Amino acid sequence: FTSRALDGVQLCITAGPTREAIDPVRYISNHSSGKMGYALATAAADAGARVTLISGPTQLACPERVTRIDVISAQEMYDAALAQMGDCQIFIGCAAVADYRPVSTASQKIKKHEEAMHIELVRNPDIVSAVASHSQRPFTVGFAAETQDVLNYAKGKLERKGLDLIVANDVSNSDIGFNSDENEVLVVTPEQVIPIPQMGKNQLARQLLKVIADAFKA
Ligand code: C5P
């Protein structure tokens, strides 16, 4: 990977989980650590890209030479991502966006009364799909975390979301993926499938960016 392969390229990455508020003290979220997205942001900045990292809540420090926009909810992440269109040549959707949010957020802490309670949920907007169908569409990359039939589900998502490239990983294996320091992926484009073997997320991020940079320039 030549050191300045992305010199001056404007690159935008979403990372981490989102939080969907139930009331002022409670939320729905997931176990995403943000490590993969932050590793990609670091590797992209090292390769000379101008990187904007749109991050949900994580424990991670902002990488050097990266501009971070902090968001909490999926809707905030969506708004921040779409606001980058026009200033973004490569978009990488690495965030674990919550699929649903509560229909409404209670303004006061909900009290316990009944033995059972129900929270009605509504679908969140799909950020990477909205980016891929934008008039100023960047080269758009998504991720697919799957527990079975990884390649077929990834190909389906690539097509349905209108992506240029999708990075698929098998999250049924706890040695890799969510919250782990290592990962192993299949890179899928409309033309080819490129396997990247298990390695640390930082090294994997550099390999992935090489593949993404090559496909972007092709
Ligand atoms: O459909 P699924 O959640 O498996 O797709 C994962 C890909 O879509 C990831 O790239 C993720 O960042 C993106 N995504 C998104 N907005 C959502 C849900 C997923 O950008 N609301």
Side-chain angles (χ1 to χ4, degrees):
F1 194 25
T2 56
S3 58
R4 309 297 288 179
L6 289 168
D7 225 355
V9 173
Q10 292 174 314
L11 193 144
C12 181
I13 304 178
T14 64
T18 66
R19 285 181 186 167
E20 311 302 321
I22 297 168
D23 71 13
V25 299
R26 303 182 180 97
Y27 57 81
I28 295 169
S29 191
N30 60 64
H31 289 296
S32 169
S33 64
K35 282 176 191 163
M36 193 67 234
Y38 277 60
L40 283 167
T42 303
D46 288 347
R50 282 156 45 198
V51 183
T52 301
L53 177 61
I54 303 173
S55 178
T58 72
Q59 300 296 319
L60 305 172
C62 183
E64 280 173 42
R65 290 168 285 112
V66 167
T67 304
R68 186 169 70 177
I69 301 173
D70 290 311
V71 298
I72 307 281
S73 67
Q75 188 62 53
E76 284 173 24
M77 188 174 274
Y78 178 92
D79 293 341
L82 274 286
Q84 295 299 313
M85 294 301 101
D87 263 338
C88 170
Q89 296 167 276
I90 301 177
F91 183 92
I92 305 178
C94 197
V97 183
D99 290 320
Y100 293 88
R101 67 175 181 277
V103 167
S104 62
T105 303
S107 58
Q108 305 295 331
K109 185 179 171 190
I110 299 169
K111 294 294 181 189
K112 50 182 169 294
H113 299 292
E114 314 299 331
E115 279 310 306
M117 78 168 285
H118 299 275
I119 300 170
E120 196 183 344
L121 303 176
V122 15
R123 275 286 281 275
N124 272 324
D126 192 301
I127 299 166
V128 88
S129 294
V131 165
S133 62
H134 194 273
S135 59
Q136 288 165 294
R137 182 185 192 285
F139 185 89
T140 311
V141 177
F143 276 71
E146 307 293 347
T147 56
Q148 55 170 336
D149 210 3
V150 176
L151 184 56
N152 276 327
Y153 280 121
K155 282 181 173 163
K157 267 176 207 179
L158 179 78
E159 196 160 317
R160 202 166 55 249
K161 296 182 188 242
L163 308 176
D164 295 294
L165 184 153
I166 194 158
V167 183
N169 71 317
D170 184 345
V171 290
S172 66
N173 179 349
S174 61
D175 290 346
I176 57 174
F178 260 46
N179 239 321
S180 154
D181 288 322
E182 298 224 322
N183 208 346
E184 168 194 317
V185 300
L186 287 178
V187 176
V188 184
T189 72
E191 293 85 32
Q192 52 181 342
V193 178
I194 306 165
I196 304 185
Q198 183 171 348
M199 61 184 78
K201 282 186 178 174
N202 294 328
Q203 196 191 346
L204 182 80
R206 287 194 292 274
Q207 297 234 2
L208 263 178
L209 272 176
K210 179 178 167 15
V211 176
I212 292 168
D214 288 347
F216 167 68
K217 289 173 181 168

